Amino acid sequence: MSNDEIFAAAYREHYWAVSRYVARRLDGRTSEVEEVVAEVFTVAWRRRADLPGSPLPWLYGVARNCLANAVRGYGRRRRLVDRLGNDETAHGRQIVASPDADTPGAWVHDALGRLSEADQEVLRLTAWEELGVDEVAVALGCGTRAASMRLHRARRRLRAEIDRMGPSRPTATSADATPSKEHGHG
């Protein structure tokens, strides 16, 4: 198969996975998703001779870099708009959250959001993208042992953050522990 055919197959097979990956990380800025995905596949086209046999983790690594560029660009545009005073309140528009805006599981996203970008990314690659440690290593551009350690530490930090957020969050262990105490002292 030629490099062009390998690229075409990777594009057909992984376009939607890359799109979902990018969309989840742009958090509501859907206008930028297509732009970032196009950049990912532009890079892949330029480097089509380098595409590995299993290209999805490699494409996620390219997407991480393209997202970093997009986020920097978004920040620069936002600062410019702020300096110009051209925000929503200047035009009498304000966005108000609806009463049901707190989506189920939002507290998990809150806890995740309190972690470093690196911790968030390794957790997202395993949970959202369903990558194994070997594939995470490719996406992050590191060795398998380093990826495994990053994942272990990120999981530990997420658990600590969830615990720190308070006991008001229901957990399977606390719900299961109560009945066993009652039955053990009867």
Side-chain angles (χ1 to χ4, degrees), residues 58-76:
W58 184 84
L59 289 168
Y60 287 155
V62 172
R64 284 182 64 234
N65 294 332
C66 292
L67 279 163
N69 292 336
V71 167
R72 281 191 297 274
Y74 177 79
R76 285 190 299 270

Side-chain angles (χ1 to χ4, degrees), residues 63-177:
R64 284 182 64 234
N65 294 332
C66 292
L67 279 163
N69 292 336
V71 167
R72 281 191 297 274
Y74 177 79
R76 285 190 299 270
R77 284 190 301 278
R78 186 71 241 161
R79 286 189 300 276
L80 176 62
V81 167
D82 289 345
R83 276 197 314 268
L84 295 173
N86 190 17
D87 62 6
E88 290 82 11
T89 56
H91 294 284
R93 294 188 310 260
Q94 292 183 326
I95 299 171
V96 178
S98 67
D100 59 347
D102 194 22
T103 56
W107 62 274
V108 175
H109 291 283
D110 290 344
L112 184 65
R114 295 170 192 256
L115 300 178
S116 71
E117 285 296 321
D119 283 351
Q120 289 180 41
E121 185 60 12
V122 72
L123 291 168
R124 288 174 179 153
L125 285 168
T126 57
W128 290 356
E129 313 314 332
E130 300 178 353
L131 296 185
V133 174
D134 292 340
E135 296 168 314
V136 168
V138 172
L140 296 178
C142 65
T144 302
R145 289 179 62 193
S148 179
M149 186 56 71
R150 288 182 191 181
L151 178 59
H152 172 74
R153 290 177 179 159
R155 284 177 174 158
R156 190 179 66 218
R157 288 182 191 113
L158 179 61
R159 168 52 53 200
E161 191 59 41
I162 289 171
D163 291 346
R164 191 186 72 70
M165 288 174 68
S168 63
R169 304 287 179 217
T171 62
T173 55
S174 64
D176 294 342

Side-chain angles (χ1 to χ4, degrees), residues 17-83:
V18 172
S19 294
R20 287 188 302 270
Y21 173 93
V22 171
R24 285 190 286 256
R25 284 156 179 82
L26 284 177
D27 193 36
R29 298 196 318 264
T30 55
S31 61
E32 295 181 52
V33 171
E34 287 181 14
E35 186 178 321
V36 172
V37 172
E39 181 63 24
V40 169
F41 283 102
T42 298
V43 170
W45 170 255
R46 286 186 202 125
R47 298 189 54 204
R48 62 192 177 277
D50 300 331
L51 279 174
S54 179
L56 186 58
W58 184 84
L59 289 168
Y60 287 155
V62 172
R64 284 182 64 234
N65 294 332
C66 292
L67 279 163
N69 292 336
V71 167
R72 281 191 297 274
Y74 177 79
R76 285 190 299 270
R77 284 190 301 278
R78 186 71 241 161
R79 286 189 300 276
L80 176 62
V81 167
D82 289 345
R83 276 197 314 268

